[in-house]
Amino acid sequence: MSLQLFYHPLSSYSMKALIALYENGTPFEYRMLSPEHPENCAQFAGLWPIHKFPILLDGERMVVEASIVIEHLALHYPGPVKLLPTDPKAALEVRMMDRFFDNHVATPQQKLVADALRPEGEHDGYGTAEARRKLDTAYAWLDNVMVRRTWAAGEEFSMADCAAAPFLLYAHWSHPIPARHEHVVAYLARLRTRPSFARAWAEAKPYRHMFPLGVPAGEE
């Protein structure tokens, strides 16, 4: 098989790439990164010393970073769901929203997770407070945007929604979205019923107990 995805089911960035693959039914080989698959871990370490996943192997070509994986799929393995519009202006909006979810939702959320993994006595109270403030700002901004939209960049599901689905859900687990941001709450509910994300999220279920901040009640 030409395409191989090195990933872990619990990883939000892995889910981002998986959603894109599932949206168009693109065939690929799962290369899970876990102690149960040492051969995958060894190959991954040899391919990408940065040790960030997912990465996609397309034959001998390596594609890194989830957004670039999705753009690569759109170029070389297009399907019925155009995750990146052909219109350059529309594509720019998709890329902007994709960056928003990566930089202003995923990054502060991962700060909270990283702090939970620190040894006792090494926690960063200032940094986590700042991360929560940034998430509050992101939620409020997004709530105003989603008043006028079904999906992140408009009325069509796109690469930005591939990012939003896992990032927003993990952010909500880490620092709950206030109920007053009803448009963000409704958007996350739509994302959770999207078949591609529902599939990726179900595949992560056996590993949810590994989430460092704990699994919220009702999410098991």
Side-chain angles (χ1 to χ4, degrees), residues 51-91:
H51 288 185
K52 295 288 187 179
F53 50 85
I55 64 170
L56 184 76
L57 279 189
D58 185 356
E60 295 185 357
R61 180 172 184 178
M62 182 179 71
V63 186
V64 302
E65 301 293 336
S67 295
I68 306 306
V69 167
I70 295 173
E71 296 228 21
H72 179 87
L73 293 170
L75 280 172
H76 300 285
Y77 301 89
V81 181
K82 293 188 179 301
L83 297 172
L84 198 66
T86 53
D87 176 72
K89 291 183 179 178

Side-chain angles (χ1 to χ4, degrees), residues 10 173 201 205 207-220:
L10 194 65
W173 277 25
W201 188 236
K205 186 173 183 178
Y207 309 96
R208 290 181 201 168
H209 67 279
M210 298 166 59
F211 187 69
L213 296 173
V215 178
E219 290 283 358
E220 293 83 357

Side-chain angles (χ1 to χ4, degrees), residues 9 11 23 26 29-30 41 45 49 65 71-72 77 80 100-101 107-108 111 113 130 138 140 152 161 198 208:
S11 156
E23 279 290 322
T26 308
E29 181 180 348
Y30 295 85
C41 296
E65 301 293 336
E71 296 228 21
H72 179 87
Y77 301 89
F100 166 77
F101 288 112
T107 297
K111 169 65 177 176
V113 167
E130 184 70 1
D161 302 291
R208 290 181 201 168

Side-chain angles (χ1 to χ4, degrees), residues 15-16 19 23 83 97 100-101 105 142 146 149-154 156-170 172 177 183-202:
M15 285 191 219
K16 178 176 173 178
I19 292 166
E23 279 290 322
L83 297 172
M97 292 300 295
F100 166 77
F101 288 112
V105 177
L142 183 61
M146 296 312 297
R149 298 180 180 183
T150 301
W151 300 110
E156 301 296 331
F157 191 91
S158 71
M159 176 172 70
D161 302 291
C162 297
F167 297 164
L168 263 185
L169 184 52
Y170 278 142
H172 183 54
I177 301 166
H183 303 291
V184 180
V185 172
Y187 173 49
L188 179 56
R190 287 194 295 277
L191 288 167
R192 295 191 70 163
T193 62
R194 186 79 177 186
S196 56
F197 180 48
R199 178 179 172 183
W201 188 236

